[in-house]
């Protein structure tokens, strides 16, 4: 099943006259992995232990992950972007947001189905260590629209309905 949430969110925002670029690195990555790399990078990432991902979130250092993320990010551009939304497996979101936050100043969010029970140590660590700015609970169309409007107007995005973020050492849902 293709990732229709990307297309749906893009179409919704464009209908609201917002400039949006969509890029599916998942397709680009797996195409190259299958046809050119013999799935070497995918095997490395899929074999990661939780502790390795936790260490990377906390320290921002991993030669093994840095090289793979840099290869994947050559397939897209991050210049002139104010807001980046990531979706996918929490390990992938952790790896990409940690690397990108170390190199670029932009808001990073992730649109995933979360409720209080689903919040894992990875979600908490990403928020606590400022590797990601927020998660969106539920459908992302309205929250993303509100976030973009607030950013355009220089307003704080934290009181946006559907956001999960960390503030004053507390998880705010």
């Amino acid at each position: 099943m293709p990732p229709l949430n990307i297309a749906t969110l893009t179409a919704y925002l464009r209908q609201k006259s917002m400039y949006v670029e969509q890029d599916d690195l998942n397709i680009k990555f797996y195409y190259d992995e299958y046809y050119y790399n013999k799935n070497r990078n995918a095997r490395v990432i899929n074999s990661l232990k939780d502790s390795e991902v936790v260490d990377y979130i906390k320290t921002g250092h991993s030669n093994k992950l840095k090289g793979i993320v840099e290869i994947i990010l050559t397939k897209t551009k991050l210049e002139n972007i104010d807001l980046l939304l990531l979706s996918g497996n929490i390990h992938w979101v952790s790896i990409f947001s940690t690397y990108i936050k170390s190199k670029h100043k932009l808001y990073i969010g992730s649109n995933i189905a979360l409720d209080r029970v689903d919040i894992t140590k990875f979600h908490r660590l990403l928020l606590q260590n400022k590797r990601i700015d927020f998660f969106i609970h539920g459908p992302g169309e309205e929250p993303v629209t509100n976030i973009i409007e607030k950013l355009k107007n220089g307003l704080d995005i934290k009181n946006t309905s559907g956001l999960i973020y960390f503030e004053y050492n507390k998880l705010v849902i």
Side-chain angles (χ1 to χ4, degrees), residues 44-56 64-65 91 121-122:
V44 169
I45 291 175
N46 292 333
S47 71
L48 287 172
K49 295 179 179 93
D50 284 357
S51 61
E52 291 177 283
V53 179
V54 168
D55 286 345
Y56 185 53
K64 178 176 14 177
L65 295 176
H91 278 177
K121 66 181 173 185
F122 293 106

Side-chain angles (χ1 to χ4, degrees), residues 57 90 94 97-98 101 108-110 114 119-136 158 163-173:
I57 293 169
I90 191 63
S94 299
S97 63
T98 297
K101 274 291 194 181
I108 299 180
S110 182
L114 271 183
I119 296 173
T120 69
K121 66 181 173 185
F122 293 106
H123 297 98
R124 287 181 184 278
L125 280 172
L126 288 168
L127 293 167
Q128 283 175 310
N129 289 281
K130 298 183 182 355
R131 306 297 187 196
I132 198 164
D133 297 296
F134 58 86
F135 289 99
I136 298 172
K158 294 221 169 118
L163 245 56
I164 299 170
Y165 57 94
F166 212 76
E167 187 172 55
Y168 306 117
N169 289 327
K170 289 187 178 182
L171 189 67
V172 178
I173 301 175

Side-chain angles (χ1 to χ4, degrees), residues 44-104:
V44 169
I45 291 175
N46 292 333
S47 71
L48 287 172
K49 295 179 179 93
D50 284 357
S51 61
E52 291 177 283
V53 179
V54 168
D55 286 345
Y56 185 53
I57 293 169
K58 287 181 176 178
T59 67
H61 301 291
S62 170
N63 291 333
K64 178 176 14 177
L65 295 176
K66 180 182 177 221
I68 293 171
V69 172
E70 287 174 345
I71 288 167
I72 295 168
L73 289 178
T74 63
K75 299 171 188 335
T76 193
K77 66 179 184 82
L78 293 175
E79 296 78 27
N80 301 318
I81 292 177
D82 299 314
L83 173 65
L84 176 67
L85 295 175
L86 299 171
S87 65
N89 171 296
I90 191 63
H91 278 177
W92 284 90
V93 169
S94 299
I95 292 164
F96 277 94
S97 63
T98 297
Y99 180 86
I100 292 167
K101 274 291 194 181
S102 74
K103 304 286 182 198
H104 301 274

